[in-house]
Amino acid sequence: MFLFRRSQPRVSVDQARDRTSGNRPDAVLLDVREKPEWNAGHAPGAVHVPLSKLVAGAGLPAETTGRPLVVICRSGHRSQQAAKLLTERGQKAVDVKGGMNAWAAAGHPVLDERGNHGQIA
């Protein structure tokens, strides 16, 4: 007998951008990469909480309260872990297929810690 695990919902980078940007975004883009990766390049408007801190029990920033989360990392592996963890904690969370690598490849903006053009590290 096989046991099937329900996988976490995933969204494309275009769906992630649509849901988390503009005048009335319906979700928050949560970047779970580590600080050096975040500093090198992240999506505009994203909120940063490293997966390592989430695993250690850290809470989420106030701007995420009561809002769905679209979770992103570099390639999609850590964001899947984070979305599962957050869902288990009662949050509505999905992860982004392909992560920031796919985000940048799709031509979506990437900013460094100073607000200049960034890169994915």
Side-chain angles (χ1 to χ4, degrees):
M1 178 172 158
F2 293 95
L3 295 176
F4 294 96
R5 295 173 109 176
R6 184 173 168 247
S7 62
Q8 287 298 118
R10 305 189 87 192
V11 297
S12 70
V13 292
D14 292 332
Q15 290 168 318
R17 184 169 185 220
D18 290 347
R19 289 193 61 194
T20 62
S21 62
N23 293 334
R24 300 189 79 177
D26 76 339
V28 174
L29 186 63
L30 180 68
D31 192 319
V32 296
R33 295 175 300 146
E34 295 300 318
K35 189 170 177 92
E37 296 171 288
W38 166 266
N39 289 345
H42 56 273
V47 174
H48 182 232
V49 180
L51 176 60
S52 59
K53 291 189 179 198
L54 289 174
V55 169
L60 294 169
E63 61 264 41
T64 66
T65 302
R67 298 188 62 202
L69 302 171
V70 176
V71 187
I72 197 165
C73 66
R74 183 177 58 225
S75 65
H77 182 71
R78 286 175 284 179
S79 60
Q80 282 184 298
Q81 294 174 359
K84 182 178 186 291
L85 176 69
L86 291 164
T87 299
E88 289 170 355
R89 292 182 184 172
Q91 299 287 325
K92 290 183 180 178
V94 298
D95 87 284
V96 180
K97 292 182 280 189
M100 286 299 297
N101 287 332
W103 180 277
H108 299 318
V110 176
L111 302 176
D112 68 12
E113 64 185 315
R114 294 188 177 109
N116 299 316
H117 178 73
Q119 61 185 345
I120 307 308

